[in-house]
């Protein structure tokens, strides 16, 4: 066992109060890794809480059931008390403390106990006492599984933990189809199925609960709002707050829309630009030898992975599109 894993194992062994924190707009990997680790630590008789900056989309909420979870933007005082009292904090599925949002960041930064970061994003900050980083990994969920396995704590797994880990591995790999998927991914999936996970149940609960509004928003975006580049294998969609409102937008409704752009024959880079809560949120996806994380970082205060990145601007939607149109050619420089 490496020194880092030994240190984490000792932290688990010799402490009782744990808090798990993940990123803003928590996705399947954030919810899966948080609830999976929650369950494992609970099975080891630890006191555990999950603190999330805000709510996930409604399809992910059932995965929180049975754990002690708190949303900072709904109940900051409770969350602050939990962080004050915890001895060890696990930071899952984010690489820098700003990913928890401006309001929770100061509390996370000033945490007095030991911080352990488990993450698969590039360029992790060194804000943790122990950093378990694997930027080639499919997901934080898979990395949590591997970490528990290497610490020889697999006996703490049960079907509920396995379902959580499956969730994040599924959502972060586009249902096991991205290049990050390896034989080791499938070896771990086998173990999860042996623990009692029934894959169809998780696929169905995440992907087959669309509202008509949500599907019509998607239809509108593809038929009316898709802009294809004349010179590059590039396309993007913009959605204003007014347009989202027309289809009764709820958190998560545009999930996966950027991947639809990338599924167009010949397209190598896709971007979704949406106006949410006054801010502009960007989602970038790419393929083959085109990478979007550095571009997202340079122009849109973002980052992420080579093939999947995000960003945010305080510009107007129109100004953001002007910036995008005048810079996207840089992604295609060899
Ligand atoms: P999504 O498009 O699904 O929101 O994000 C894609 C990837 O980019 C995710 O892995 C996410 O962690 C990362 N990402 C999204 N938004 C941001 C951001 O504002 N800053 C950074 N550094 N990464 C982001
Ligand atoms: Mn992830």
């Amino acid at each position: 066992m490496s020194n880092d894993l030994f240190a984490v194992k000792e932290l688990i062994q010799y402490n009782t109060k744990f808090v798990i924190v993940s990123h803003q707009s928590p996705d399947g990997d954030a919810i899966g890794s948080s609830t999976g680790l929650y369950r494992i630590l609970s099975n080891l008789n630890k006191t555990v809480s999950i603190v999330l900056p805000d709510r996930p989309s409604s399809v992910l909420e059932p995965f929180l059931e049975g754990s002690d979870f708190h949303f900072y933007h709904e109940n900051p005082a409770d969350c602050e008390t939990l962080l004050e009292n915890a001895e060890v904090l696990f930071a899952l599925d984010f690489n820098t403390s700003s990913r928890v949002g401006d309001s929770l960041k100061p509390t996370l930064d000033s945490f007095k106990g030991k911080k352990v970061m488990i993450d698969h994003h590039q360029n992790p900050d060194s804000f943790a006492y122990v950093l378990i980083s694997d930027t080639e990994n499919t997901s934080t969920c898979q990395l949590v599984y591997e970490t528990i396995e290497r610490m020889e704590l697999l006996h703490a797994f049960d079907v509920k933990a396995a379902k959580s880990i499956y969730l994040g591995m599924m959502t972060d790999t586009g249902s096991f189809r991205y290049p990050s998927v390896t034989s080791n991914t499938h070896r771990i999936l086998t173990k999860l199925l042996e623990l009692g996970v029934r894959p169809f149940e998780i696929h169905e609960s995440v992907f087959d609960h669309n509202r008509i509004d949500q599907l019509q928003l998607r239809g509108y975006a593809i038929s009316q709002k898709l802009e294809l580049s004349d010179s590059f294998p590039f396309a993007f969609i913009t959605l204003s707050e007014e347009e989202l409102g027309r289809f009764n937008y709820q958190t998560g409704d545009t999930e996966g829309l950027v991947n639809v752009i990338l599924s167009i024959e010949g397209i190598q880079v896709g971007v979704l630009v949406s106006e949410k809560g006054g801010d502009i949120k960007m989602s970038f996806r790419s393929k083959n030898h085109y990478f979007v994380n550095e571009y997202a970082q340079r122009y849109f205060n973002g980052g992420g992975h080579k093939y999947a990145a995000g960003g945010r601007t305080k510009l107007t939607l129109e100004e953001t599109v002007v910036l995008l149109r005048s810079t996207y050619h840089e992604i295609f420089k060899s």
Side-chain angles (χ1 to χ4, degrees):
M1 204 187 307
S2 73
N3 287 343
D4 280 353
L5 285 172
F6 194 74
V8 178
K9 192 167 181 178
E10 283 203 331
L11 286 177
I12 294 175
Q13 222 162 4
Y14 297 115
N15 291 285
T16 52
K17 284 187 239 149
F18 294 78
V19 66
I20 295 168
V21 177
S22 194
H23 60 79
Q24 211 167 23
S25 308
D27 58 3
D29 196 26
I31 298 296
S33 56
S34 299
T35 55
L37 184 61
Y38 174 93
R39 188 77 181 174
I40 290 158
L41 292 172
S42 300
N43 288 344
L44 294 168
N45 296 318
K46 307 298 174 181
T47 303
V48 200
S49 302
I50 298 173
V51 169
L52 297 168
D54 52 6
R55 279 185 185 268
S57 67
S58 58
V59 292
L60 295 176
E61 285 193 13
F63 291 90
L64 286 165
E65 277 165 23
S67 56
D68 179 55
F69 60 94
H70 306 261
F71 301 116
Y72 189 87
H73 85 146
E74 289 173 22
N75 216 330
D78 278 8
C79 295
E80 271 158 28
T81 308
L82 285 167
L83 265 80
E84 257 160 47
N85 293 331
E87 296 155 310
V88 180
L89 182 152
F90 280 94
L92 302 184
D93 200 39
F94 63 95
N95 57 354
T96 170
S97 66
S98 63
R99 294 279 290 126
V100 303
D102 293 343
S103 46
L104 175 55
K105 183 181 184 296
T107 314
L108 176 65
D109 286 339
S110 61
F111 178 73
K112 289 194 287 296
K114 295 277 199 271
K115 283 186 245 190
V116 179
M117 179 190 266
I118 306 181
D119 181 48
H120 69 133
H121 295 92
Q122 307 215 309
N123 310 317
D125 268 5
S126 55
F127 87 91
Y129 169 69
V130 184
L131 169 64
I132 298 186
S133 160
D134 176 5
T135 60
E136 304 286 304
N137 209 307
T138 60
S139 55
T140 299
C141 277
Q142 183 178 325
L143 187 53
V144 165
Y145 183 95
E146 290 170 13
T147 304
I148 298 297
E149 183 176 50
R150 290 190 197 120
M151 293 190 297
E152 295 168 5
L153 293 174
L154 279 185
H155 57 273
F157 253 87
D158 59 12
V159 62
K160 219 165 156 47
K163 282 182 180 174
S164 291
I165 297 300
Y166 188 97
L167 170 70
M169 289 176 68
M170 176 187 84
T171 55
D172 260 26
T173 57
S175 301
F176 315 111
R177 56 185 287 259
Y178 295 159
S180 54
V181 173
T182 64
S183 59
N184 189 43
T185 311
H186 283 278
R187 177 188 69 85
I188 293 168
L189 292 170
T190 301
K191 299 279 183 196
L192 300 178
L193 268 62
E194 285 168 359
L195 282 161
V197 170
R198 300 205 289 174
F200 78 94
E201 285 182 354
I202 301 180
H203 289 259
E204 236 174 62
S205 82
V206 174
F207 300 119
D208 296 348
H209 287 268
N210 295 319
R211 299 181 339 280
I212 295 292
D213 275 341
Q214 177 186 0
L215 291 175
Q216 288 180 340
L217 170 63
R218 185 176 281 237
Y220 168 75
I222 297 164
S223 65
Q224 310 292 316
K225 301 304 306 280
L226 181 70
E227 182 169 326
L228 289 146
S229 165
D230 293 332
S231 345
F232 294 95
F234 177 84
F236 67 93
I237 287 175
T238 59
L239 289 169
S240 70
E241 201 124 48
E242 184 278 317
E243 289 169 314
L244 293 172
R246 248 190 267 166
F247 296 92
N248 299 309
Y249 173 80
Q250 291 178 22
T251 308
D253 281 359
T254 52
E255 197 77 48
L257 183 55
V258 65
N259 299 97
V260 175
I261 304 175
L262 210 60
S263 76
I264 301 167
E265 165 95 70
I267 292 295
Q268 307 278 349
V269 180
V271 182
L272 173 68
V273 188
S274 47
E275 185 183 16
K276 288 173 186 166
D279 279 356
I280 304 298
K281 163 88 180 86
M282 322 268 296
S283 273
F284 304 85
R285 296 293 184 274
S286 61
K287 291 181 169 166
N288 299 323
H289 44 280
Y290 301 114
F291 304 146
V292 283
N293 52 340
E294 283 179 14
Y295 174 72
Q297 191 175 10
R298 182 168 315 141
Y299 292 105
F300 300 102
N301 313 302
H305 313 275
K306 287 188 289 197
Y307 297 117
R312 260 159 225 282
T313 76
K314 296 276 179 202
L315 303 172
T316 65
L317 188 58
E318 292 71 25
E319 289 166 342
T320 306
V321 170
V322 169
L323 180 60
L324 181 67
R325 282 206 192 100
S326 62
T327 55
Y328 73 76
H329 63 92
E330 292 186 20
I331 303 170
F332 299 91
K333 284 191 304 209
S334 57

